[in-house]
Structure formats: C-alpha cells, structure tokens
Amino acid sequence: DAKTTQPNSMESNEEEPVHLPCNHSTISGTDYIHWYRQLPSQGPEYVIHGLTSNVNNRMASLAIAEDRKSSTLILHRATLRDAAVYYCILLKTSYDKVIFGPGTSLSVIP
Amino acid sequence: NAGVTQTPKFRVLKTGQSMTLLCAQDMNHEYMYWYRQDPGMGLRLIHYSVGEGTTAKGEVPDGYNVSRLKKQNFLLGLESAAPSQTSVYFCASSQTSYEQYFGPGTRLTVT
C-alpha cells in the first residue's frame, strides 16, 4: 500500500495562508490524494481530493506536483477554527483499505 | 438528515465483558467503516463493509466482530473486552470509496 509522509506539526498566524505538505513517493496511477481534518474531540471531516490537476473548493485548495509524488493543502486565510489535525491519505477508485497516518497538527496563533 | 450517529457516546467495561457499538447512517450509503483512534495516533481501520450483508477485515480486526444486516446499520462487537481495547471508536460511511462521513465517536474504557 502506498503511504504518505507529513510533518508532525505546523504553526500559522491567523489570517495568513497555510501550506501543509504531503509526500507520497510510491503513489500509483490509480491513487487519488485525499485530505481530511479532525477538530478536537470530533470525528474527521473531508476537506478535498484530487488526482492530477489542482483543485479548489470552499474550504481549501489542493496543489499536486507534476510527478504526483507530493501535494500541498492550502488554506488561504487561516482562522482559529482551522486548528486541527490534517490527514493526507491515498484512495483508489475501487475500495481499498484506508490508512490514516498521524497527520499534521496545525496550530493557529491569534 | 442526522448523518452518521453512534450509540453509545461513552462506555466503561470491565475486562471480559462484551458489548456492541451501533452505527447508523441515513444517507443510503453503500460503504461503512469502523475505526479506532488511540491518543496521539491516527485512525486505524478495524472492519468495513461495501454493502448490506458484507463485511471485511481492516488493519486491526483482532478481538472485534461486525455485522451489516441492514444497509443503514453497522454493528461492532467486542466479545471479551480487554484493556488494550480502550480507545475512541469512530464509524464512517460513504457512497463510494471517496468522501467519508464520520460519526461523533464512542469513548470506550476497559478496566
């Protein structure tokens, strides 16, 4: 199974952009890159996903490297409510076992 | 829509006792999952189901059993609880293998 590597923790100032990196050097052609986040004492929630092209939605943007071996989740203006653990995972189109690593703990400083 | 609900929210068991955790979803999703989360760690998949009447093992299935008799419900059973099963349990559902919707979690303590 392809795995992902993320920094354990990151800090950001409120209202500044945040770039959360993820390395997935063993990604296969059928793996989609997904991001979830988990706020304190809550279940994870879906953020965004993509295959090859960059993606935008109301929550964030996903920038995918041309070789697909890395990606970056971009929060355009961090708020205190964005403080959470962010997980980068790989999923295939047909169901595959989902492996959540430890993720990146994002702290937002007022 | 209530989304994904879990019952109970909290439970304390003694070693050797049994219990069943109930997960219900009202989104008509085909896929359902049970995860556990230990302090400082990510989620680990216990069992999952790709449709009514089907179940499959995940990453850490030992000590747990599951059933999916109805499409909207996914039950997780502990036949003989052990302290190592102290954890927060999350249920999730999805229509495809993509976006998963998670429940609020069940905090289980085994003494």
Side-chain angles (χ1 to χ4, degrees):
Chain A
D1 294 332
K3 300 216 184 292
T4 63
T5 304
Q6 301 175 251
N8 289 334
S9 62
M10 292 184 64
E11 277 188 354
S12 173
N13 293 320
E14 194 177 9
E15 298 189 3
E16 289 188 356
V18 183
H19 289 67
L20 297 163
C22 180
N23 287 319
H24 28 79
S25 58
T26 60
I27 191 170
S28 73
T30 56
D31 285 330
Y32 281 72
I33 302 157
H34 285 242
W35 284 81
Y36 282 75
R37 73 178 186 181
Q38 186 174 21
L39 279 63
S41 300
Q42 295 187 25
E45 63 174 342
Y46 167 84
V47 178
I48 199 167
H49 79 278
L51 183 63
T52 57
S53 303
N54 295 342
V55 184
N56 301 298
N57 66 20
R58 63 176 179 81
M59 290 181 69
S61 297
L62 176 59
I64 301 172
E66 195 168 337
D67 64 6
R68 301 209 327 125
K69 293 185 177 182
S70 65
S71 60
T72 303
L73 179 70
I74 303 166
L75 306 180
H76 297 286
R77 286 180 73 243
T79 69
L80 297 179
R81 293 185 70 252
D82 291 323
V85 177
Y86 287 79
Y87 299 99
C88 169
I89 60 175
L90 303 178
L91 291 174
K92 299 187 189 300
T93 51
S94 58
Y95 183 67
D96 195 7
K97 295 177 183 178
V98 179
I99 300 176
F100 282 78
T104 297
S105 179
L106 175 66
S107 301
V108 179
I109 303 167
Chain B
N1 285 350
V4 179
T5 58
Q6 294 183 231
T7 309
K9 289 185 171 51
F10 302 94
R11 186 71 185 268
V12 178
L13 286 179
K14 294 188 188 307
T15 297
Q17 287 184 321
S18 63
M19 77 162 294
T20 300
L21 281 66
L22 171 63
C23 176
Q25 53 96 1
D26 61 3
M27 297 172 282
N28 202 35
H29 285 169
E30 290 293 334
Y31 296 78
M32 296 187 75
Y33 320 82
W34 275 108
Y35 296 88
R36 62 176 287 173
Q37 185 172 37
D38 300 308
M41 296 181 66
L43 283 77
R44 291 184 292 171
L45 183 65
I46 304 171
H47 286 279
Y48 65 98
S49 168
V50 298
E52 181 179 319
T54 73
T55 63
K57 294 180 179 180
E59 188 182 357
V60 288
D62 294 341
Y64 305 94
N65 57 75
V66 288
S67 64
R68 182 102 181 266
L69 298 179
K70 293 182 179 180
K71 186 177 184 178
Q72 64 268 32
N73 295 336
F74 196 28
L75 279 63
L76 178 71
L78 286 73
E79 291 185 349
S80 179
S84 61
Q85 295 177 304
T86 293
S87 190
V88 180
Y89 292 84
F90 288 101
C91 175
S93 72
S94 65
Q95 181 52 26
T96 65
S97 63
Y98 292 163
E99 182 177 349
Q100 294 186 25
Y101 294 81
F102 283 81
T106 294
R107 188 173 297 274
L108 175 66
T109 301
V110 183
T111 61

